């Protein structure tokens, strides 16, 4: 960066401390739904083998005021955020955030929920901090560029950690300077390489980002200082992590809150419990399957074209376990064609070895556009393409620009309700399930998180998805 570079950390911190958020209309509705979707994903993911191991580790570190979903034990806020963040991302069912190229809510909501319980914050205060944290993730995601993601950084745990620290600073009501310290401290804790995709360490990234966000904000509140230019300074975040040095930072900073990222982009809840890089292709496959009454046995080959970073994410054409299957275009397309949907029960150690699906895996191919085809702004994108070649010699094709769940292609209310039920039924007692839904529907009016969290207590199992298969039996 050069001498003309704006004071990015200071500008962001000043907006976090002083910026006004009109928590009404679509902003309120989307924020409320984002919380509900993330809570559902935590409930479903709490019994995952990796999430359970993280929770077991955290529980041994001492009690505190914050709820850990999946156990009756409460922990100090950073450890609760670690456990819940890992569970939120364990099944890759949590939302995605276009300008951050990340899973924004899986870091933000666990961090804010734990901190809100510790501080006695209201639902409205949490939602306000959530929207603020998204705003910071958006400006950093667009500023740092697509190359950050494409080269191999997991934005969920880099940009996510910094943005969540800003959200935590907002929840604590920090002034500009301590908010800047919180953001700068989070820069020192932002990490996570995408080599971990397809392993339990990937969801751990979300937990780690949430834990570090809480810790950064609390350290700053208590007077721990950091370099004011940790983002823009020499050897700072941009210098070390940016995919491009061409960003118009003054323009991005001028747009902070105008419009809000929650208005412009929203968060995109997932319809399928697998890597978001598959979702536009899956939307296309399912649309063609329905429109042309295609069965798995009718198909000779499926050709797909995706973005450069998407292909790099989907690195398991022959998955050997349920974690790898979530990052396998071949497997996900086979399930979609065979069943007309993808469910939590499709990602177990047993289900991925179904013979009819294994036989079909080589019949799916995936190509990618060049690395620079979509530009450096992660909010810009080109369609994903699907061509289904049928055994009778014909073919059908479709292009999909925006996945279901995005602002331009939102989930129906039925989709939202079905997903919440799919995540929570059988884990929360029926009365608690109903009460949790009611609390989430009026989240902005909650005077204390206990009105929700007391209905989220259950003892989770530890398995590799078998609980969903057992529930469906």
């Amino acid at each position: 960066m050069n001498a003309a570079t704006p004071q990015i950390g200071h500008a962001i911190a000043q907006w976090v401390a002083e910026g006004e958020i009109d928590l009404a209309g679509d902003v309120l509705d989307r924020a409320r739904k984002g919380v509900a979707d993330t809570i559902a994903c935590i409930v479903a993911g709490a019994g995952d083998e990796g999430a359970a191991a993280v929770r077991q580790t955290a529980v041994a570190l001492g009690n505190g005021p914050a709820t850990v979903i999946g156990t009756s034990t409460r922990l100090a806020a950073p450890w609760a955020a670690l456990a819940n963040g890992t569970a939120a991302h364990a099944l890759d069912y949590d939302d995605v955030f276009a300008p951050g190229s990340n899973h924004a809510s899986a870091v933000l909501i666990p961090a804010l929920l734990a901190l809100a319980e510790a501080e006695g914050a209201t639902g409205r205060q949490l939602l306000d901090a959530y929207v603020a944290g998204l705003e910071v993730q958006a400006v950093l995601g667009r500023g740092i560029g697509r190359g950050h993601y494409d080269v191999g950084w997991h934005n969920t745990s880099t940009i996510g950690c910094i943005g969540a620290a800003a959200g935590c600073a907002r929840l604590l009501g920090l002034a500009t300077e301590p908010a800047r310290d919180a953001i700068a401290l989070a820069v020192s804790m932002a990490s996570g390489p995408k080599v971990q995709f397809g392993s339990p360490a990937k969801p751990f990234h979300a937990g780690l980002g949430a834990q570090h966000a809480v810790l950064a904000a609390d350290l700053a509140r208590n007077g721990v200082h950091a370099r004011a230019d940790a983002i823009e300074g020499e050897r700072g975040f941009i210098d070390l992590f940016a995919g491009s040095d061409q960003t118009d930072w003054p323009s991005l900073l001028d747009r902070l809150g105008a419009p809000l990222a929650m208005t412009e982009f929203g968060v995109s809840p997932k319809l399928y419990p697998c890597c978001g890089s598959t979702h536009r292709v899956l939307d296309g496959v399912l649309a063609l399957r329905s429109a042309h009454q295609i069965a798995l046995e009718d198909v000779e080959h499926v050709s797909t074209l995706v973005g450069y970073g998407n292909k790099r994410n989907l690195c398991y054409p022959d998955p050997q376990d349920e974690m790898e299957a979530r990052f396998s275009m071949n497997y996900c397309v086979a399930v979609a064609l065979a069943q007309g949907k993808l469910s939590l029960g499709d990602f177990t150690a047993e289900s991925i070895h179904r013979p009819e699906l294994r036989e079909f895996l080589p019949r799916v191919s995936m190509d990618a556009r060049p690395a620079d085809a979509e530009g450096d702004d992660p909010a810009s994108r080109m369609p994903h393409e699907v061509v289904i070649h049928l055994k009778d010699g014909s073919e059908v094709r479709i292009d999909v620009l925006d996945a279901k769940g995005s602002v331009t292609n939102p989930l129906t209310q039925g989709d939202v309700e079905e997903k919440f039920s799919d995540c929570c039924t059988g884990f929360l007692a029926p009365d608690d399930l109903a009460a949790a839904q009611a609390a989430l529907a009026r989240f902005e009016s909650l005077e204390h998180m206990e009105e929700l969290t007391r209905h989220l207590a259950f003892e989770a199992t530890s398995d590799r998805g078998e609980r969903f298969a057992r529930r469906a039996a």
Side-chain angles (χ1 to χ4, degrees), residues 100-233:
S101 292
N102 66 345
H103 297 267
S105 299
V107 181
L108 266 166
I109 298 303
L112 294 173
L113 182 66
L115 194 58
E117 283 198 290
E119 298 294 319
T122 67
R124 181 166 286 273
Q125 289 172 317
L126 187 151
L127 293 178
D128 173 86
Y130 177 33
V131 173
L134 283 175
E135 192 71 17
V136 176
Q137 291 196 36
V139 72
L140 286 178
R142 302 184 81 179
I144 211 77
R146 193 190 303 273
H148 173 74
Y149 184 79
D150 285 350
V151 78
W153 289 109
H154 188 194
N155 291 27
T156 298
S157 53
T158 55
I159 291 164
C161 174
I162 301 170
C168 289
R170 175 89 173 192
L171 187 67
L172 291 175
L174 300 188
T176 297
E177 288 195 11
R180 187 184 63 201
D181 284 330
I183 290 166
L185 289 166
V187 168
S188 289
M189 295 186 274
S191 62
K194 290 203 290 181
V195 69
Q196 304 289 12
F197 280 26
S199 82
K202 188 203 185 225
F204 172 67
H205 283 175
L208 201 61
Q211 177 201 5
H212 286 163
V214 174
L215 190 59
D218 214 17
L219 288 168
R221 174 172 61 173
N222 289 322
V224 178
H225 301 298
R227 281 278 296 260
D229 62 348
I231 291 178
E232 70 274 9

Side-chain angles (χ1 to χ4, degrees), residues 172-406:
L172 291 175
L174 300 188
T176 297
E177 288 195 11
R180 187 184 63 201
D181 284 330
I183 290 166
L185 289 166
V187 168
S188 289
M189 295 186 274
S191 62
K194 290 203 290 181
V195 69
Q196 304 289 12
F197 280 26
S199 82
K202 188 203 185 225
F204 172 67
H205 283 175
L208 201 61
Q211 177 201 5
H212 286 163
V214 174
L215 190 59
D218 214 17
L219 288 168
R221 174 172 61 173
N222 289 322
V224 178
H225 301 298
R227 281 278 296 260
D229 62 348
I231 291 178
E232 70 274 9
E234 184 179 357
R235 295 174 295 177
F237 188 68
I238 293 172
D239 214 4
L240 298 176
F241 286 74
S244 169
D245 60 1
Q246 303 302 311
T247 299
D248 182 3
W249 280 100
S251 177
L252 281 176
L253 296 172
D254 284 345
R255 293 185 60 197
L256 273 166
L260 286 167
M262 185 61 98
T263 299
E264 187 174 3
F265 304 105
V267 291
S268 300
K270 284 185 173 184
L271 196 56
Y272 320 115
C274 50
C275 179
S277 291
T278 68
H279 281 221
R280 285 185 275 169
V281 166
L282 294 175
D283 287 344
V285 167
L286 291 169
L288 292 174
R289 181 185 187 275
S290 176
H292 300 280
Q293 298 296 295
I294 297 171
L296 185 69
E297 56 268 23
D298 300 328
V299 178
E300 182 64 35
H301 189 82
V302 180
S303 305
T304 68
L305 177 66
V306 300
Y308 175 80
N310 303 118
K311 183 179 179 182
R312 295 191 77 194
N313 290 345
L314 303 172
C315 50
Y316 298 100
D318 185 26
Q320 298 303 304
D321 60 40
E322 74 287 356
M323 295 297 291
E324 291 183 1
R326 294 186 178 101
F327 297 86
S328 171
M329 181 70 85
N330 308 62
Y331 178 76
C332 292
V333 167
V335 174
L337 281 171
Q339 300 178 176
K341 65 176 184 178
L342 292 90
S343 69
L344 290 165
D346 290 313
F347 296 91
T348 70
E350 181 179 357
S351 64
I352 68 163
H353 292 292
R354 286 170 284 181
E356 69 277 15
L357 300 181
R358 302 302 301 187
E359 189 276 332
F360 193 81
L361 297 183
R363 298 189 182 192
V364 180
S365 63
M366 177 173 51
D367 292 313
R369 291 189 172 87
D372 58 355
E374 296 181 290
D376 199 48
D377 185 349
S380 67
R381 56 185 57 213
M382 297 173 70
H384 287 186
E385 301 175 8
V386 180
V387 183
I388 299 180
H389 307 268
L390 298 169
K391 289 181 178 178
D392 65 8
S394 64
E395 63 182 43
V396 291
R397 61 178 61 224
I398 192 171
D399 294 350
V400 179
L401 180 61
D402 295 312
K404 289 183 179 178
S406 61

